[in-house]
Amino acid sequence: MLSKVTLSQRRFLSIANRHIRSSSTLLEPTAYSPSHPEPPYATLGPTSKLNLFSAINAALKSAMHSDPTAILFGEDIAFGGVFRCSQGLKDEFGEERVFNTPLSENGIAGMAVGYASAGGTAIGEIQFDNNRIAYSKYCFDTNIYISPAMDQIVNEMAKFRFRSGNQWNCGGVTLRAPCGAVGHGGLYHSQSPEAYLAHTPGLVVVMPRGPRCAKGLLLSSIRSKDPVIFLEPKILYRSAVEEVPDADYEIPLGKAEVMREGTDVTLVGWGAQLRTLQAACDLASKEGISCELIDLRTILPWDSKTIVESVMKTGKLIVSHEAPITCGFGAEVVAALQNEVFFCLEAPIQRVCGYDTPFGLVYEKFYLPDETKNLGAIRKVMELSK
């Protein structure tokens, strides 16, 4: 194993030097600002029906075509990855730009920091392997095996610009990772670590809800000037299908999207939970309740302004996510909103989240905050506001 790691390190340094020297554009040490507008999808030209993993594949391909310094690496990446997100990319861009790494998440994150700090664009994937469950005792989420990489993510990636006084940065890093319940993952492969990551200043944390926004958000993430953790709800890899523009387009980071306008109550979520919230809104509409649904999209930095404006209109707020309720990111949203719109609230803010417990396969349907639980919260705030 030591010899393999050493060879991989030498190969990485060779690739890094070659690609960075051949590029005339280096990343500037400036923080990302979500200044570009939302893409007008109707004007982007032809579309293709894609599921989530195909949309991610299309975004990776587009990013690597536009940036000669971009490299893609991780466990099993070369033959397409466990979820096929990198399928065909090694054949198109060559093994020097798309390659496998040793089974070392800390090494993947460390390679990404080093490559990006020299001016390149590093796209790493943190992946899982079921055979590692037996000895992966340090992983809070063997679904994405991200905890072994936390030293590099928290102490290097997030602080690189700050500790240099803005003299250098590693803003060219994007780490992709699957997350969330999938229907058969069990207690190890079903967790949502966004709150852990959002507690780290210096990172951008993104979670798309479907193929169309995944492509635009991933392209923005790869091209941003800050390191990004891009979380992909794996239940959506094949189940979520949309018409996705063939063109290269970006969706601004740090900007929420109002998916559905309403007047009675505001619902906020992100990732796969949006499908559940859409179903809850449909059920509520049959009872004459008008719901406004907001997709946060970027968890850090998050768009409080859009939610504040919505709650000032509706007077009621429900936040829902898969992760456990205690210290989940919904708690941050609730705390910030009550400070901003307290005197506009007509009912206490509700959180509909996962329970504070690990959950095995047989208990998953009881654990998940489904549309019925969210409909109950909608009814509750409507009743309390009378």
Side-chain angles (χ1 to χ4, degrees):
M1 178 58 71
L2 290 176
S3 62
K4 291 182 180 178
V5 172
T6 302
L7 289 173
S8 296
Q9 290 173 336
R10 290 175 180 172
R11 182 185 183 196
F12 164 72
L13 292 172
S14 175
I15 294 170
N17 288 330
R18 187 179 305 118
H19 284 294
I20 293 170
R21 288 171 182 171
S22 66
S23 173
S24 60
T25 304
L26 297 181
L27 294 174
E28 296 297 325
T30 56
Y32 176 80
S33 175
S35 58
H36 55 288
E38 192 81 10
Y41 294 112
T43 65
L44 288 175
T47 63
S48 300
K49 184 174 288 188
L50 302 177
N51 56 23
L52 184 67
F53 88 80
S54 298
I56 289 169
N57 182 275
L60 293 171
K61 184 181 298 185
S62 185
M64 297 188 74
H65 272 299
S66 64
D67 183 354
T69 74
I71 59 173
L72 177 64
F73 54 93
E75 297 162 15
D76 304 322
I77 283 293
F79 68 80
V82 174
F83 296 107
R84 318 313 293 163
C85 292
S86 57
Q87 188 171 12
L89 297 183
K90 188 189 79 168
D91 294 336
E92 183 166 350
F93 297 101
E95 62 181 10
E96 290 190 342
R97 296 185 66 190
V98 181
F99 53 91
N100 293 332
T101 65
L103 299 179
S104 172
E105 288 74 21
N106 204 39
I108 293 170
M111 286 172 62
V113 170
Y115 185 79
S117 68
T121 298
I123 310 167
E125 179 176 301
I126 307 294
Q127 197 48 269
F128 77 84
D129 183 336
N130 290 337
N131 293 330
R132 299 181 67 204
I133 292 175
Y135 60 89
S136 185
K137 64 179 181 180
Y138 298 107
C139 293
F140 60 78
D141 188 357
T142 54
N143 172 31
I144 55 175
Y145 286 114
I146 204 166
S147 64
M150 290 297 278
D151 177 38
Q152 286 293 318
I153 292 172
V154 174
N155 293 321
E156 302 298 337
M157 191 182 300
K159 298 176 174 63
F160 212 69
R161 177 183 282 115
F162 182 85
R163 72 188 181 98
S164 74
N166 204 31
Q167 295 182 71
W168 58 76
N169 74 94
C170 61
V173 172
T174 300
L175 288 185
R176 299 175 36 251
C179 67
V182 70
H184 54 262
L187 71 165
Y188 289 108
H189 285 188
S190 301
Q191 301 181 70
S192 302
E194 66 268 20
Y196 290 92
L197 298 164
H199 196 64
T200 307
L203 297 179
V204 175
V205 182
V206 180
M207 190 187 298
R209 70 172 185 274
R212 186 165 63 181
C213 69
K215 181 178 178 181
L217 287 171
L218 182 53
L219 283 168
S220 287
S221 299
I222 293 170
R223 293 164 180 166
S224 83
K225 303 302 183 184
D226 285 317
V228 178
I229 309 296
F230 193 87
L231 300 174
E232 300 164 4
K234 64 180 181 299
I235 195 172
L236 302 181
Y237 275 135
R238 287 168 174 77
S239 64
V241 180
E242 293 176 335
E243 290 290 337
V244 179
D246 298 332
D248 184 309
Y249 63 94
E250 299 179 28
I251 293 175
L253 304 181
K255 178 64 178 174
E257 178 186 1
V258 179
M259 297 174 56
R260 176 175 184 155
E261 294 188 353
T263 57
D264 293 330
V265 57
T266 300
L267 281 77
V268 176
W270 48 88
Q273 191 63 10
L274 269 301
R275 297 197 307 175
T276 297
L277 292 177
Q278 284 179 310
C281 290
D282 290 339
L283 292 173
S285 67
K286 295 178 182 179
E287 302 180 11
I289 303 172
S290 175
C291 298
E292 183 146 298
L293 180 58
I294 298 176
D295 179 5
L296 207 55
R297 299 195 299 196
T298 304
I299 296 168
L300 186 70
W302 65 284
D303 180 8
S304 62
K305 180 181 178 182
T306 296
I307 303 174
V308 166
E309 291 174 351
S310 177
V311 177
M312 290 182 70
K313 175 177 65 174
T314 66
K316 296 170 280 294
L317 173 63
I318 297 169
V319 184
S320 184
H321 56 68
E322 281 187 22
I325 189 169
T326 300
C327 295
F329 194 72
E332 171 64 21
V333 176
V334 170
L337 264 291
Q338 67 84 27
N339 186 59
E340 294 290 331
V341 299
F342 181 80
F343 293 105
C344 297
L345 291 174
E346 300 172 5
I349 301 174
Q350 302 296 304
R351 285 185 291 160
V352 185
C353 308
Y355 299 122
D356 292 332
T357 178
F359 57 99
L361 175 59
V362 70
Y363 299 112
E364 183 171 305
K365 63 181 179 180
F366 304 107
Y367 171 91
L368 292 177
D370 60 16
E371 58 267 27
T372 303
K373 294 176 184 177
N374 278 281
L375 178 61
I378 294 171
R379 289 171 175 165
K380 181 178 180 178
V381 296
M382 293 301 296
E383 181 65 26
L384 289 172
S385 66
K386 291 181 180 179

